[in-house]
Amino acid sequence: MSGSRGGRKKKAHAEEEHPDERWLASYMDMVTVLMCMFIVLFAMSSVDQDKYIALRNSLATGFGQTDVGKVDSASGTVVPASDVTEEGEGYSEGDETDMSKAAASGEAQTAEQAAAAQALAQSELDDLTAIKEAIAGNLEGSGLSADVQFATDARGLTVRLVGSETFFGTNSADLSGEATRVMDAIAPVLRDSSHDVSVEGHADQRSSTAPFATNWELSSARATQVLRDLVERGGLPVEHAQAVGFGSSRPLVQGSTDADLAANRRVDIVVLSNQSDDVSALLPKLEQAAEAAGGAVTAGRNPEPVAPAAPAEAAAAPTEKKDEKKSEKKEESHDEGAQSGGH
């Protein structure tokens, strides 16, 4: 028994002489991390002497503490410390020549840009006005001036075909004979221009009936038929043309009277401006100024052709009869559309 006890004590003594040293691995890792941290701190603490001196001199010059004989790269007025009061007075004193020159230069540049934009807008308006006058002349020569309206806005020139009963049958997208004659007056002018053309169909707020499910289909079909006629018969380049149907989403007037409904049933042929949006935005004001000066075709419905003075009485009767027949035909077509709920 004593032997076994002695053996046990000897084994325990051997274990005490060789303790667990795995903690050294964690300790060495910690020391390594600390060393890396101090290396990084030392690297960050190194200062570029030249940059430090430049910063010091700049701050000293800016606050007026000392004159180091160098010019600060920042523009502004240097205020000496003796000129600064507790109320902050004295900051406006100094040489403001450079600042005045810079402001004057900026104003001059802005004025030049505005003048350039004005010149471009005037040139674009002259181009659109020439297109409008050419179309108006063709329509007047064919006796169709009353069927078309003109308007100029930031998008360009709008040639408006108002009153669907003149150009289309009830709930139909087929062009009438009169619509074909109007296209013959418009197409040659648009074909020779360098502008893109957007044909936009519109309907009134009443629901569409067969064969068109909604006003979207009706307005799109009519715009497409006008575009096809301009391209296929009029020779308008296809790369300059597009058709859009707005349905009843963009009415000209609000209301449900016959006149309101007729005004909203229309097809707009928009001659788009070739200038940027900033330049095109100037077109309406220039158009108004030109109208006020009497130098442009009147916006809106074109003036009716004036009959000769001498044979006026002799020609009055047949002309009035022709107008009465045309008016009766339009009223019948409109009544038919109103009764059927069509457009």
Side-chain angles (χ1 to χ4, degrees):
M1 291 179 66
S2 60
S4 62
R5 288 180 182 178
R8 290 179 181 177
K9 288 182 179 181
K10 190 174 184 179
K11 185 177 180 181
H13 180 69
E15 292 177 356
E16 290 177 0
E17 290 180 354
H18 299 280
D20 188 3
E21 298 179 352
R22 287 179 295 179
W23 59 274
L24 288 175
S26 301
Y27 175 77
M28 294 173 63
D29 290 341
M30 181 183 68
V31 171
T32 303
V33 171
L34 287 175
M35 181 184 67
C36 294
M37 182 186 70
F38 285 118
I39 291 174
V40 171
L41 291 176
F42 176 76
M44 294 173 60
S45 64
S46 61
V47 179
D48 190 329
Q49 191 69 12
D50 294 336
K51 292 183 179 180
Y52 173 76
I53 293 175
L55 176 61
R56 183 192 64 185
N57 293 339
S58 177
L59 293 175
T61 303
F63 286 102
Q65 297 298 325
T66 181
D67 185 5
V68 296
K70 295 184 179 180
V71 180
D72 189 5
S73 59
S75 61
T77 302
V78 177
V79 182
S82 59
D83 294 340
V84 181
T85 62
E86 294 181 358
E87 290 79 9
E89 298 177 355
Y91 284 93
S92 61
E93 297 179 1
D95 187 6
E96 299 181 356
T97 304
D98 295 338
M99 298 177 65
S100 300
K101 289 182 179 179
S105 176
E107 292 176 358
Q109 186 177 4
T110 303
E112 291 177 359
Q113 293 176 351
Q118 189 84 1
L120 290 174
Q122 185 62 54
S123 176
E124 185 72 2
L125 179 62
D126 293 341
D127 188 17
L128 295 176
T129 301
I131 294 175
K132 177 166 59 174
E133 290 177 347
I135 294 176
N138 292 343
L139 292 171
E140 185 176 357
S142 302
L144 302 171
S145 298
D147 298 329
V148 179
Q149 296 178 358
F150 295 99
T152 302
D153 54 21
R155 299 181 63 200
L157 171 66
T158 299
V159 183
R160 183 162 292 148
L161 314 180
V162 179
S164 61
E165 63 275 0
T166 304
F167 303 96
F168 306 96
T170 303
N171 290 324
S172 173
D174 297 331
L175 293 175
S176 64
E178 188 167 357
T180 302
R181 292 196 296 144
V182 172
M183 295 299 105
D184 292 338
I186 296 175
V189 182
L190 300 183
R191 179 186 59 208
D192 297 334
S193 70
S194 59
H195 294 266
D196 291 340
V197 176
S198 177
V199 183
E200 302 171 355
H202 301 268
D204 59 44
Q205 62 268 30
R206 294 177 302 171
S207 299
S208 180
T209 57
F212 300 99
T214 66
N215 287 330
W216 299 104
E217 283 87 346
L218 175 62
S219 60
S220 299
R222 287 178 173 175
T224 303
Q225 286 300 318
V226 172
L227 179 62
R228 285 188 57 187
D229 191 82
L230 290 174
V231 171
E232 295 174 358
R233 291 196 319 109
L236 181 68
V238 293
E239 62 270 15
H240 292 298
Q242 66 179 16
V244 184
F246 289 105
S248 58
S249 61
R250 298 188 180 184
L252 281 180
V253 294
Q254 301 293 336
S256 57
T257 64
D258 293 343
D260 295 336
L261 297 176
N264 293 331
R265 294 192 304 271
R266 67 193 190 279
V267 175
D268 292 342
I269 303 175
V270 184
V271 184
L272 300 175
S273 173
N274 288 331
Q275 298 297 328
S276 63
D277 293 341
D278 295 338
V279 174
S280 299
L282 302 175
L283 293 176
K285 292 184 179 179
L286 293 178
E287 172 75 5
Q288 293 175 2
E291 290 178 0
V297 177
T298 304
R301 192 174 296 276
N302 294 318
E304 297 288 347
V306 180
E313 295 181 358
T319 303
E320 290 177 357
K321 291 180 180 179
K322 182 178 179 181
D323 292 341
E324 288 177 0
K325 291 181 179 179
K326 182 178 180 180
S327 176
E328 290 176 357
K329 182 178 180 181
K330 289 185 178 181
E331 289 178 358
E332 291 176 359
S333 177
H334 176 70
D335 292 341
E336 180 183 355
Q339 293 173 0
S340 63
H343 298 272

